[in-house]
């Protein structure tokens, strides 16, 4: 996994100074600027990423959901092993964000080797890999997401497979519960993580009919057990594609609530400072990477315990005796898993849905029609507020559901004003990417968050 050690050239050092200078100015003016330094550097040298990545081993995390949390947990694993880390912790996962992460990192000294743990957008993956060869890929999951951009789940699977084929010596660590990530024809060495459906974990799942096509022959798959989305113990009765043997297994979910989980990975129990089934999968992916790095169980638990709270991902803002829970969503599966997470609490609550359809969110909002909002019918919800560019669409879908809760549309600014004035103590914000950024900016401008 080692690469030849070369000193950073003078041009790259000069660009680093200019880009980081712009970061400092933007930070003071806007409390942001995570992507602009990368954009500036790429304007000055479109191939700068090839220079910046020299002397680094590189792990790439990609897939539909959970990339940012999985990346953060993988970085914690690597820190437990003493690696000098570069990572795009902010979730800026296109080329300018990747470049920006390297620019912001402490430069390696002559002879040093670093480890870059990079979340990369699926659509940008092969463009970015023109500039370096990864040592390991971590494939989280593949669900319907931004179909106006990608076309189909299979099209995204093809992008991931193409990237792996470009780096045949790279290790692939993939979610074995996803039929789209079982790629038996790859030359790469493959390791799979997933749920051991022969263990106690089956108590949490059931056999259901799923309208999911086999990625190899397009015949309808059958599922013995399903966790959520298209993840489960699958079999194609036509071509024989089936759930692979697992190298890293989730044996049991011992406890699960909104902000905590106790699980057994390969018969060792771990405590997670995060809740929800989807975060169990994120943790399992990071556990597999930790095992790949030869972390001990103690180091793995320490990595989980040190997991950071990520902006907009189960982030909790405390304000005047209120708890404001920020939940970022972008597709049907993500929305339903977030709603299931919220449903793990029995406290009376109000919910705010803020949905945009800018390019970063996905312009096609047809996915809202696929969301099962009826799952909230038993939640102790006192009020629902809708907002954002797609306020009418989300309002209509909620009104069509089995909910019997007052629904009030309002602007983002009015949402913040309502939060300031309401007596409600628990408020869950469910927002798309650009909507979350806009909402957090208003919270910052109002002094509610720093």
């Amino acid at each position: 996994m080692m690469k030849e050690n070369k000193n950073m050239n003078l041009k790259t050092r000069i660009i680093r100074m200019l880009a980081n200078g712009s970061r400092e100015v933007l930070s003071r003016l806007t409390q942001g600027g995570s992507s602009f330094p990368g954009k500036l550097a790429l304007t000055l040298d479109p191939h700068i990423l090839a220079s910046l990545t020299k002397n680094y081993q590189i792990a790439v995390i990609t897939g539909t959901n959970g990339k940012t949390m999985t990346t953060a947990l993988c970085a914690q694993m690597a820190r437990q092993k003493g690696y000098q880390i570069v990572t795009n912790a902010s979730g800026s996962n296109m080329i300018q964000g990747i470049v920006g992460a390297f620019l912001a990192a402490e430069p390696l000294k002559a002879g040093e080797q670093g480890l870059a743990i990079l979340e990369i957008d699926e659509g940008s993956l092969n463009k970015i890999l023109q500039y370096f060869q990864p040592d390991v890929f971590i494939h989280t999951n593949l669900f319907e997401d931004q179909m106006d951009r990608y076309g189909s789940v299979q099209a995204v699977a093809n992008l991931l497979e193409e990237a792996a084929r470009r780096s045949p010596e790279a290790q692939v660590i993939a979610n074995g519960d996803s039929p789209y990530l079982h790629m038996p024809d790859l030359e790469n060495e493959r390791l799979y993580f997933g749920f051991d459906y022969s263990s106690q974990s089956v108590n949490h799942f059931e056999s259901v009919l799923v309208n999911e096509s086999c990625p190899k022959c397009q015949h309808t798959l059958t599922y013995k057990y399903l966790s959520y989305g298209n993840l489960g113990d699958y079999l194609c009765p036509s071509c024989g594609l089936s759930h692979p043997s697992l190298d890293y297994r989730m044996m049991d979910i011992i406890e699960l609530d909104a902000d905590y989980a106790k699980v057994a990975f390969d018969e060792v129990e771990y405590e997670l400072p995060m809740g929800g089934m989807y975060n169990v999968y994120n943790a399992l992916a990071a556990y597999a990477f930790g095992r790949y790095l030869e972390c001990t169980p103690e180091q793995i638990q320490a990595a989980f315990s040190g997991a950071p709270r990520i902006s907009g991902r189960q982030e909790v803002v405390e304000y005047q005796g209120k708890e404001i829970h920020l939940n970022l969503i972008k597709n049907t599966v993500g929305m339903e898993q977030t709603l299931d997470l919220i449903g793990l609490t029995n406290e009376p609550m109000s919910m705010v849905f803020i949905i945009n359809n800018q390019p970063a969110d996905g312009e096609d909002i047809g996915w809202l029609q696929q969301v099962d909002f009826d799952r909230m019918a038993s939640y102790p919800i006192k009020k629902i507020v809708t907002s954002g560019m797609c306020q009418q669409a989300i309002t209509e879908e909620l009104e069509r559901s089995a909910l019997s809760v007052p629904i009030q549309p309002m602007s983002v600014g009015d949402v913040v004003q309502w939060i300031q004035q309401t007596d409600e103590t628990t408020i869950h914000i469910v927002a798309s990417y650009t909507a979350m950024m806009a909402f957090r900016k208003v919270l910052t401008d109002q002094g509610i968050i720093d």
Side-chain angles (χ1 to χ4, degrees), residues 189-245:
E189 183 178 344
R190 298 175 304 282
L191 297 169
Y192 290 103
F193 63 88
F195 285 19
D196 185 345
Y197 294 98
S198 66
S199 70
Q200 291 297 314
S201 66
V202 298
N203 294 329
H204 302 274
F205 310 112
E206 59 183 353
S207 178
V208 296
L209 293 175
V210 181
N211 185 23
E212 197 72 44
S213 297
C214 174
K216 301 301 180 185
C217 72
Q218 309 311 309
H219 194 280
T220 301
L221 294 172
T222 61
Y223 280 78
K224 185 177 180 181
Y225 296 104
L226 183 76
S227 53
Y228 68 85
N230 56 36
L231 303 179
D233 187 359
Y234 57 87
L235 169 68
C236 177
S238 177
C239 72
L241 181 74
S242 62
H243 193 277
S245 297

Side-chain angles (χ1 to χ4, degrees), residues 194-205 246-254 262-270 280 284 287:
F195 285 19
D196 185 345
Y197 294 98
S198 66
S199 70
Q200 291 297 314
S201 66
V202 298
N203 294 329
H204 302 274
F205 310 112
L246 298 175
D247 301 278
Y248 309 108
R249 301 170 299 163
M250 198 289 293
M251 302 292 293
D252 194 14
I253 300 175
I254 301 163
K262 188 174 184 179
V263 296
F265 293 160
D266 289 324
E267 300 181 353
V268 178
E269 292 184 5
Y270 295 99
V280 172
L284 182 58
Y287 164 80

Side-chain angles (χ1 to χ4, degrees), residues 63 73 94 132 152 154 171 229 271 308 319 406:
L73 292 173
M94 297 189 184
F132 60 82
S152 68
Q154 186 57 55
Q171 175 75 62
E271 295 183 77
Y319 174 72

Side-chain angles (χ1 to χ4, degrees), residues 254-322:
I254 301 163
E255 294 181 46
L256 185 67
D257 61 28
D259 53 16
Y260 171 82
K262 188 174 184 179
V263 296
F265 293 160
D266 289 324
E267 300 181 353
V268 178
E269 292 184 5
Y270 295 99
E271 295 183 77
L272 310 177
M274 64 206 63
M277 187 68 71
Y278 63 95
N279 274 322
V280 172
Y281 267 107
N282 295 338
L284 182 58
Y287 164 80
F289 181 65
R291 288 283 306 277
Y292 172 76
L293 294 180
E294 300 182 347
C295 290
T296 66
E298 293 75 19
Q299 289 171 325
I300 291 170
Q301 180 59 71
F304 287 146
S305 298
R309 284 287 184 181
I310 301 173
S311 175
R313 280 84 167 177
Q314 288 184 257
E315 181 183 9
V316 180
V317 176
E318 295 186 356
Y319 174 72
Q320 295 183 349
K322 305 177 179 75

Side-chain angles (χ1 to χ4, degrees), residues 380-400:
I381 303 172
K382 300 172 70 174
K383 180 176 182 175
I384 292 178
V385 171
T386 58
S387 187
M389 296 169 60
C390 304
Q391 177 188 93
Q392 181 176 347
I394 183 63
T395 301
E396 289 175 353
E397 294 305 321
L398 290 166
E399 288 176 342
R400 272 195 283 266

Side-chain angles (χ1 to χ4, degrees), residues 88-159:
N88 50 335
S90 70
S92 185
N93 61 16
M94 297 189 184
I95 190 167
Q96 63 269 21
I98 306 299
V99 169
F102 279 97
L103 293 172
E106 186 72 23
L108 294 174
K109 297 176 182 177
E112 281 189 331
Q113 185 83 13
L115 175 59
I117 300 177
L118 305 176
E119 170 190 343
I120 301 185
D121 167 73
E122 311 92 280
S124 303
L125 184 60
N126 286 288
K127 177 183 177 181
I128 292 172
L129 294 189
Q130 296 177 54
Y131 302 106
F132 60 82
Q133 292 281 316
D135 297 283
V136 58
F137 291 96
I138 301 171
H139 294 165
T140 59
N141 49 62
L142 289 178
F143 303 118
E144 286 193 3
D145 179 53
Q146 297 189 37
M147 290 297 99
D148 52 329
R149 179 184 179 198
Y150 295 120
S152 68
V153 179
Q154 186 57 55
V156 183
N158 293 342
L159 294 176

